[in-house]
Amino acid sequence: MSAELTHPNIVDGWFREISSQWPGQAMTLQVEKILHVEKSLYQDVLVFKSTNHGNVLVLDGAIQCVERDEFSYQEMIAHLPLASHPNPVNVLVIGGGDGGVLREVLKHPSVKSATLCDIDEAVPRVSKLYLPHMAKGYDDERVTLFIGDGFKFLEENKAKFDVIITDSSDPVGPANSLFQKPYFQLLKESLAPGGSISTQGECIWLHLPLINDLMTMTRGLFPVAEFAYTSIPTYPSGTIGFVVCTLDENRDLRKPLRKVEGCRYWNQTIHRAAFELPQFAQEVVDASKKN
């Protein structure tokens, strides 16, 4: 009989998400059963079944996706750049090994090729087992899975993609480099003419200095760069942001050009509203235009 799984972040039946990235606060979820624990080549991987929120994927102690609300994040980071692009055909996802963003990309009939590049093979492998509703896109014939370094992949694929979506974890550990200027320069060089990107842009309640840095940097690289956000209860402070940019100086990223079928959160009205920020956050984003 195998021993019952344990994990240091689960104490007395509760998972605790404690991190210096959100000082003085912590998300807790009640655990029904620990499903998977491993140390991959890159990070600590935990999956547990919660009592009220479905299965939960945790990397290096930080919640990546929760079955109950994951669709908010996946739909918005994907459809903000895709629905505002006139004809996205070739799409790249960096990170996002759980498959959620990939699932959303495939909702666009114009997409003929969707490539996902994740550095850690453990994430898609584990997600296929415990988050099959998110990982179902891997079975689509349009999909290519590449396990390896996103930097190297971008360096070898220039001027190729209509949309590139970076579904990264927080800027610590293996994902830290995905928030730096050299990475965004590579993104720009890997876009086809008129291409767009979106990246995970952290939380307006917690990370305003980082958001200012991201917006200042991207506005120096792209003719159009915007910040949007969505509501998602199980992410720190209940919101997560997106940096959305395009090479097309005439494109209105706030304007969806078509409906997307099968969404639970995204619609054309929410798309437009996502770029309307609270005043304290808008002032930071506006200040980046002056830097």
Side-chain angles (χ1 to χ4, degrees):
M1 185 175 178
S2 60
E4 186 173 347
L5 294 173
T6 62
H7 192 277
N9 288 34
I10 297 176
V11 180
D12 297 328
W14 288 81
F15 168 78
R16 294 165 169 81
E17 186 188 45
I18 298 172
S19 172
S20 60
Q21 296 177 87
W22 35 90
Q25 68 183 66
M27 181 68 180
T28 63
L29 290 172
Q30 192 171 14
V31 178
E32 181 175 315
K33 183 180 180 180
I34 300 176
L35 300 174
H36 185 87
V37 176
E38 76 169 275
K39 292 281 189 180
S40 76
L41 289 174
Y42 296 95
Q43 55 203 337
D44 178 87
V45 182
L46 165 67
V47 184
F48 65 87
K49 181 181 180 182
S50 67
T51 57
N52 298 88
H53 292 73
N55 289 354
V56 181
L57 172 65
V58 181
L59 300 178
D60 281 342
I63 292 171
Q64 301 302 302
C65 52
V66 177
E67 283 188 306
R68 181 172 176 175
D69 61 13
E70 54 85 12
F71 59 92
S72 165
Y73 172 82
Q74 321 292 348
E75 291 180 14
M76 294 298 279
I77 197 172
H79 302 319
L80 290 176
L82 285 164
S84 58
H85 191 290
N87 186 39
V89 175
N90 297 315
V91 178
L92 172 65
V93 180
I94 301 283
D98 54 59
V101 171
L102 190 63
R103 178 193 65 201
E104 298 305 316
V105 168
L106 297 171
K107 291 178 180 178
H108 292 260
S110 64
V111 173
K112 305 302 181 188
S113 171
T115 302
L116 187 138
C117 175
D118 197 299
I119 197 169
D120 193 347
E121 62 79 27
V123 180
R125 168 171 51 82
V126 169
S127 298
K128 289 175 184 179
L129 288 173
Y130 300 108
L131 298 165
H133 69 292
M134 296 179 66
K136 64 182 182 180
Y138 287 118
D139 296 326
D140 193 291
E141 63 182 10
R142 294 172 288 174
V143 170
T144 301
L145 173 61
F146 178 84
I147 300 299
D149 179 61
F151 275 78
K152 183 177 180 182
F153 186 87
L154 290 170
E155 288 170 352
E156 296 174 352
N157 290 272
K158 299 294 187 181
K160 180 175 180 180
F161 300 102
D162 300 305
V163 173
I164 304 175
I165 301 164
T166 304
D167 177 15
S168 67
S169 48
D170 297 303
V172 294
N176 182 57
S177 60
L178 303 185
F179 289 78
Q180 307 300 322
K181 186 173 182 178
Y183 176 70
F184 281 84
Q185 181 66 41
L186 283 175
L187 291 176
K188 179 180 179 181
E189 294 169 2
S190 294
L191 287 174
S196 296
I197 68 165
S198 67
T199 70
Q200 191 265 98
E202 293 298 326
C203 176
I204 60 174
W205 294 102
L206 297 167
H207 305 118
L208 286 178
L210 174 61
I211 291 169
N212 177 71
D213 290 345
L214 285 170
M215 294 308 300
T216 299
M217 180 237 302
T218 52
R219 282 175 167 160
L221 290 172
F222 294 88
V224 181
E226 303 277 7
F227 188 87
Y229 77 112
T230 192
S231 166
I232 180 163
T234 56
Y235 279 0
S237 293
T239 69
I240 192 76
F242 312 105
V243 178
V244 191
C245 313
T246 182
L247 293 176
D248 184 350
E249 63 182 11
N250 297 313
R251 183 167 304 152
D252 185 355
L253 294 169
R254 301 172 178 235
K255 181 181 179 181
L257 303 178
R258 68 190 73 86
K259 293 181 179 180
V260 181
E261 300 298 329
C263 293
R264 299 175 61 196
Y265 190 94
W266 183 96
N267 58 40
Q268 291 177 302
T269 302
I270 283 288
H271 182 121
R272 290 185 286 267
F275 296 90
E276 300 297 335
L277 307 178
Q279 184 61 26
F280 72 91
Q282 188 64 58
E283 289 175 359
V284 170
V285 172
D286 288 345
S288 70
K289 295 179 181 178
K290 303 172 184 177
N291 293 340

